[in-house]
């Protein structure tokens, strides 16, 4: 994991409680400004400024819809989904963002499509979809647990390598330079950056 300016901007944007509340509301359905203002108990001008910031960051988008009577309304919706992780330990700090890609046509994807297209009675169809969803959620939880365990092992090894290199640097700078020439391209970027300031 590493920290970068773009991620910093995103964290600043999401650090505002009103903007987080707006995003939460938009996960439910599209909203227009006066609705958001009423739900949040915040003035329309302030809501518009928050929407502008979120839109500029690419998190939401607005679309104008004509209504039978009155002026057209601009509705706001979530534009893209992503998962943001922050890692903070005594030895490192970083952020990482995962954006969902178009699903590959895996066995699970094909199965989901078949269930969605099935012509079973509604009760049967909903039951089958919920069973399928429960199984997918179980497998996702399992994969996340495994990822967390691997992250912890990676952190342990990275921390040990960094501490070892620091010890070598204190004892013999030439030896460190030799090791960096040999292993530098394979060392994690974070370790190299930390050693530069050592």
């Amino acid at each position: 994991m590493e920290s970068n300016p773009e991620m910093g901007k995103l964290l600043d944007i999401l650090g505002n409680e009103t903007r987080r509340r707006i995003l939460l509301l938009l996960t439910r359905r599209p909203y227009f400004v006066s609705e958001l203002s009423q739900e949040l108990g915040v003035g329309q001008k302030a809501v518009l400024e928050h929407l502008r910031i979120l839109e500029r960051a690419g998190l939401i988008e607005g679309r104008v819809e004509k209504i039978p009577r009155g002026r057209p309304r601009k509705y706001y919706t979530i534009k893209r989904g992503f998962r943001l992780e922050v890692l903070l330990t005594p030895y490192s700090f970083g952020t990482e963002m995962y954006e969902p890609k178009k699903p590959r046509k895996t066995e699970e994807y094909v199965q989901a499509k078949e269930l969605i297209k099935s012509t079973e009675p509604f009760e049967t169809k909903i039951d089958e979809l919920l069973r399928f969803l429960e199984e997918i959620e179980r497998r996702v939880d399992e994969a996340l647990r495994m990822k967390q365990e691997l992250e912890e092992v990676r952190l342990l090894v990275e921390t040990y390598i960094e501490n070892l290199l620091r010890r070598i640097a204190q004892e013999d700078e030439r030896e460190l330079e030799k090791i960096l020439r040999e292993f530098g391209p394979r060392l994690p970027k974070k370790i190299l950056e930390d050693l530069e300031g050592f």
Side-chain angles (χ1 to χ4, degrees):
M1 285 194 178
E2 57 192 67
S3 189
N4 65 54
E6 285 303 309
M7 210 71 80
K9 285 180 194 170
L10 189 56
L11 285 170
D12 286 344
I13 288 166
L14 296 174
N16 180 280
E17 187 187 352
T18 303
R19 289 196 279 272
R20 290 196 308 274
R21 288 173 66 203
I22 288 170
L23 290 172
L24 183 62
L25 286 170
L26 295 181
T27 61
R28 297 177 188 159
R29 64 174 177 86
Y31 275 82
F32 53 93
V33 176
S34 60
E35 284 182 313
L36 286 168
S37 175
Q38 197 172 357
E39 285 269 359
L40 299 166
V42 175
Q44 288 190 28
K45 195 174 177 183
V47 169
L48 276 167
E49 180 59 19
H50 287 302
L51 290 170
R52 189 184 60 75
I53 290 167
L54 291 168
E55 199 167 12
R56 205 170 53 208
L59 300 177
I60 65 169
E61 61 186 351
R63 69 173 196 278
V64 177
E65 280 189 14
K66 292 180 180 176
I67 54 173
R69 283 177 290 200
R71 296 181 317 186
R73 284 182 175 163
K74 189 173 185 181
Y75 284 87
Y76 289 88
T77 57
I78 300 288
K79 185 177 181 181
R80 63 183 175 131
F82 64 88
R83 193 169 109 213
L84 182 65
E85 286 187 4
V86 177
L87 174 70
L88 175 65
T89 74
Y91 310 102
S92 65
F93 169 72
T95 53
E96 203 166 324
M97 190 162 84
Y98 305 93
E99 294 199 57
K101 297 175 175 66
K102 190 177 178 183
R104 288 182 298 120
K105 296 204 173 172
T106 58
E107 184 183 323
E108 293 79 11
Y109 179 82
V110 171
Q111 191 179 348
K113 283 292 202 181
E114 284 172 3
L115 285 169
I116 288 164
K117 290 178 181 176
S118 82
T119 54
E120 296 283 342
F122 288 127
E123 293 84 357
T124 307
K125 186 172 182 170
I126 290 169
D127 181 55
E128 286 176 355
L129 283 165
L130 288 173
R131 284 176 196 273
F132 179 73
L133 189 60
E134 285 162 7
E135 174 60 18
I136 292 296
E137 284 174 353
R138 186 192 64 75
R139 288 169 61 187
V140 166
D141 287 345
E142 193 178 304
L144 288 173
R145 260 194 313 276
M146 186 178 287
K147 180 185 182 294
Q148 186 179 1
E149 287 168 12
L150 290 172
E151 287 278 6
E152 286 167 8
V153 171
R154 182 177 76 174
L155 183 62
L156 174 72
V157 173
E158 284 179 353
T159 303
Y160 178 78
I161 291 170
E162 185 172 344
N163 289 339
L164 180 62
L165 292 173
R166 284 175 185 274
R167 230 174 23 247
I168 292 167
Q170 287 171 341
E171 292 169 13
D172 187 347
E173 268 192 51
R174 284 187 183 163
E175 185 63 28
L176 177 67
E177 286 169 13
K178 182 181 161 193
I179 289 168
L180 290 177
R181 275 196 303 274
E182 186 176 347
F183 298 108
R186 291 170 56 198
L187 284 169
K189 189 178 167 187
K190 176 82 172 67
I191 292 178
L192 290 170
E193 286 172 358
D194 288 350
L195 286 172
E196 276 176 22
F198 184 64

